Amino acid sequence: MTAPLRIGNASGFYGDRFDAMREMLTGGELDVLTGDYLAELTMLILGRDRLRDPKNPSAGYARTFLRQLEECLGLAHERGVRIVTNAGGLNPAGLAADVRKLAARLGIPARVAHVEGDDLTADHPNSLAAHAYLGAFGIAACLREGADVVVTGRVTDAALVAGPAAAHFGWGPGDHDQLAGAVVAGHVLECGTQATGGNYAFFAEHLDAEDVGKAPRVLRHPGFPLAEIHPDGTSVITKHPGTGGVVDLGTVTAQLLYETQGARYAGPDVTARLDTVRLTEDGPDRVRIHGVRGEAPPPTLKVGLNRLGGFRNEVTFVLTGLDIEPKAALVRDQLETALHAAKSRPADVSWTLARTDRPDAPTEETASALLRLVVRDPDQHTVGRTLSGAAVELALASYPGFHVLAPPGKGAPYGVFEAAYVPQDAVSHVAVLDDGRRIPVPPPHDTLVLAKPPEPPLPDSPPPGPVRRAPLGLLAGARSGDKGGDANVGVWVRTDDAWRWLAHTLTAALFRELLPETAELTVVRHTLPHLRALNFTVEGILGEGVAAQHRFDPQAKALGEWLRSRHLDIPETLL
């Protein structure tokens, strides 16, 4: 039997735990170590770095990776672990060159390759950064040619796992089921410790007597995940022995539902059918992923467009004690009047009153509500000095107890994310080796115009019986996140009886009712029976994307937890 390929993860975002690379290299056996540093917001941050320092050959990549590698390249070489990362960001060639310099300085004979072709900024002159999401076969080509370190720019997060698997097992573009299995495993690994208990809805279940009033000990320092990939594309998600955290059906289900939209998970190499995914416990801290079916990829590649949208500023007024609503109305009217008088009212003005106050409160903080003003405008002066002057001048002339959390500053630029699509053959996907050779990666020979698959039949309705008003989260887990201007909320339960109830009860209409901020938005529900899960896409709730900070929770990270806190009638037999 062919031994599985052990692929670990050491980073879920730019800024993740610095020591994770060393922990993963020293904690157990690995063949490949990946690091995911990129997100929509990260591309904007790197674009601004490059804009500020255009002549710097090191601008535009995730510099944390190079510092981690200085400590760990020798370890990886000693243990025969190959490293694959998208830390190249906007400048994979620059990072690859600096890794070669580092290896030479440390005396380590590392072969370094990189993948390029994702940068389409020249075709989108109004964008700060425009990058296509490339697939796995550029990475695979680098590894097949003997690279020890592979650096990419914008590839799909799952490509960091699918590429090494394709290289190791000899998969080609037509091996859809195998590729789909690796993509699903890569999706589970990509956010690091979210697969091992981080941000997990049912974290409190891991409390024991010594944990009361504290964080669960098992989750205080969760280990990073790894996948054992098999030749047929099946995998086992696990972690190094003795590390913190938990890998079980719940943690893997939560990550599977994260930032996906529907049963078809389309990528540049394959379309993974999430409605075919099956999970099975495979021992302590081991979950087997199997049954994954794949289809041809779509004929287009997604392109992430990041541009500067203007300038943004905010101020939060603290309203304490009695008459909260009149106090809010007074300061709002005063500030709006002042902005009009200045003849430079910002183009976009948004007010939000958060009633965090409680009656007869024992502390001043819990007696206070927060009135938040956010302004946006193409002109920095309008959101800066104009706003700060108008707000500060009210200090002795407004509601009783007037104060703010912090005075408004000069205003900061904000970004806008948009998605575009180009034909697969419009991108020059190239693997660049350390000897200068360039290996073109052809587009897939067959593609699929995707249609929404038919919704699977619902399970039988649960029998009627007494119900109790209770929070949804007593029964269901959830995880949510951002996809451009949309949000996704995955909801799952852990028993068949609970699934029958959830599938019939939590409709898109009830979702909008439970979360009134979505009432006027399009909410699309997708059913994943094998996971006992529903996945909701909320269109437009995040405006122009995370960098625009359209709402209080700009990445929708807690939207699922809000849903879990809402009360509805739940059968008593399920509680």
Side-chain angles (χ1 to χ4, degrees):
M1 180 181 293
T2 304
L5 180 70
R6 290 173 62 88
I7 304 178
N9 170 282
S11 176
F13 67 100
Y14 190 12
D16 209 342
R17 194 158 84 216
F18 187 88
D19 293 335
M21 185 180 289
R22 176 177 290 275
E23 291 170 9
M24 290 300 290
L25 288 170
T26 59
E29 294 296 319
L30 283 180
D31 299 304
V32 179
L33 183 61
T34 66
D36 180 7
Y37 292 77
L38 300 184
E40 294 167 0
L41 180 61
T42 314
M43 299 298 282
L44 178 72
I45 292 169
L46 295 176
R48 290 174 58 187
D49 287 348
R50 188 171 60 176
L51 189 65
R52 283 193 295 264
D53 197 4
K55 295 183 180 180
N56 183 351
S58 297
Y61 67 67
R63 301 183 191 190
T64 305
F65 170 76
L66 198 62
R67 298 201 303 272
Q68 290 173 300
L69 207 60
E70 186 160 10
E71 292 186 4
C72 297
L73 186 58
L75 283 171
H77 176 68
E78 291 168 9
R79 289 161 170 75
V81 178
R82 301 165 105 177
I83 295 176
V84 179
T85 180
N86 61 15
L90 278 58
N91 187 9
L95 177 55
D98 285 348
V99 172
R100 293 187 191 101
K101 293 175 186 175
L102 173 66
R105 177 163 60 82
L106 298 176
I108 299 170
R111 299 181 64 183
V112 183
H114 73 275
V115 177
E116 60 184 40
D118 61 298
D119 192 347
L120 302 181
T121 307
D123 299 330
H124 299 272
N126 294 326
S127 295
L128 187 61
H131 291 258
Y133 289 72
L134 302 180
F137 285 101
I139 295 170
C142 293
L143 293 171
R144 284 170 177 156
E145 294 295 325
D148 302 300
V149 180
V150 180
V151 172
T152 78
R154 180 74 278 187
V155 296
T156 63
D157 300 338
L160 300 176
V161 170
H168 184 77
F169 295 118
W171 299 338
D175 293 319
H176 293 146
D177 289 347
Q178 294 92 326
L179 288 168
V183 163
V184 170
H187 178 62
V188 174
L189 295 193
E190 70 186 49
C191 289
T193 52
Q194 279 197 169
T196 58
N199 300 350
Y200 181 50
F202 296 116
F203 79 100
E205 293 181 357
H206 298 284
L207 289 166
D208 60 27
E210 296 182 30
D211 287 325
V212 174
K214 304 176 183 177
R217 286 176 297 165
V218 72
L219 298 182
R220 288 176 195 166
H221 192 81
F224 275 67
L226 63 93
E228 299 171 353
I229 311 287
H230 292 266
D232 62 354
T234 61
S235 64
V236 173
I237 306 299
T238 184
K239 61 187 183 70
H240 283 327
T243 56
V246 176
V247 177
D248 63 17
L249 292 176
T251 64
V252 174
T253 298
Q255 182 55 28
L256 269 176
L257 296 173
Y258 182 63
E259 295 183 346
T260 58
Q261 297 174 304
R264 280 192 164 109
Y265 189 55
D269 304 307
V270 67
T271 300
R273 288 292 296 266
L274 299 183
D275 54 353
T276 64
V277 176
R278 294 179 183 270
L279 304 179
T280 307
E281 294 278 9
D282 194 54
D285 289 316
R286 294 176 62 84
V287 172
R288 182 169 175 256
I289 300 176
H290 57 105
V292 186
R293 300 300 304 273
E295 300 171 334
T300 56
L301 293 177
K302 179 181 177 181
V303 181
L305 307 177
N306 289 275
R307 61 179 173 84
L308 294 178
F311 295 87
R312 178 187 181 280
N313 207 348
E314 69 175 80
V315 58
T316 300
F317 300 91
V318 182
L319 315 173
T320 304
L322 305 178
D323 303 321
I324 296 296
E325 300 283 350
K327 287 173 180 174
L330 173 60
V331 71
R332 178 171 178 169
D333 182 66
Q334 287 177 312
L335 199 55
E336 292 273 9
T337 300
L339 292 176
H340 279 296
K343 297 182 180 179
S344 56
R345 186 180 192 275
D348 182 70
V349 176
S350 174
W351 293 89
T352 305
L353 176 61
R355 293 301 302 265
T356 53
D357 57 304
R358 299 207 304 261
D360 195 21
T363 65
E364 182 177 339
E365 186 172 3
T366 57
S368 300
L370 301 176
L371 178 65
R372 182 168 176 251
L373 167 64
V374 178
V375 296
R376 295 180 178 83
D377 196 87
D379 178 51
Q380 186 174 17
H381 177 86
T382 299
V383 302
R385 187 175 301 172
T386 298
L387 175 65
S388 60
V392 171
E393 288 171 3
L394 293 176
L396 304 180
S398 190
Y399 60 87
F402 180 100
H403 67 286
V404 298
L405 291 183
K410 296 179 180 179
Y414 70 89
V416 171
F417 175 86
E418 297 172 329
Y421 294 87
V422 298
Q424 288 255 15
D425 59 7
V427 173
S428 298
H429 188 180
V430 180
V432 184
L433 308 181
D434 58 354
D435 60 7
R437 284 184 295 146
R438 299 173 63 85
I439 302 176
V441 179
H445 52 78
D446 62 332
T447 59
L448 178 69
V449 178
L450 299 178
K452 181 182 177 182
E455 282 289 314
L458 293 178
D460 294 336
S461 299
V467 298
R468 175 158 39 105
R469 197 78 175 167
L472 176 63
L474 293 184
L475 187 66
R479 178 165 288 165
S480 56
D482 61 309
K483 277 290 185 182
D486 300 342
N488 127 267
V489 183
V491 184
W492 79 97
V493 290
R494 296 179 287 186
T495 68
D496 290 338
D497 287 344
W499 168 238
R500 282 191 288 271
W501 174 82
L502 183 75
H504 285 274
T505 302
L506 190 55
T507 62
L510 180 58
F511 183 100
R512 286 193 295 265
E513 181 181 329
L514 293 172
L515 303 186
E517 291 178 16
T518 71
E520 304 302 320
L521 301 174
T522 297
V523 175
V524 181
R525 188 182 99 150
H526 308 279
T527 306
L528 301 171
H530 294 323
L531 301 177
R532 301 192 190 101
L534 302 173
N535 214 347
F536 295 89
T537 300
V538 186
E539 298 180 4
I541 190 172
L542 302 180
E544 295 176 303
V546 54
Q549 298 187 49
H550 178 73
R551 65 189 301 271
F552 167 71
D553 176 15
Q555 289 183 278
K557 295 294 188 183
L559 198 61
E561 286 301 293
W562 179 26
L563 179 66
R564 293 182 70 233
S565 74
R566 297 292 282 159
H567 289 225
L568 67 168
D569 293 331
I570 300 176
E572 289 186 351
T573 56
L574 300 179
L575 295 172

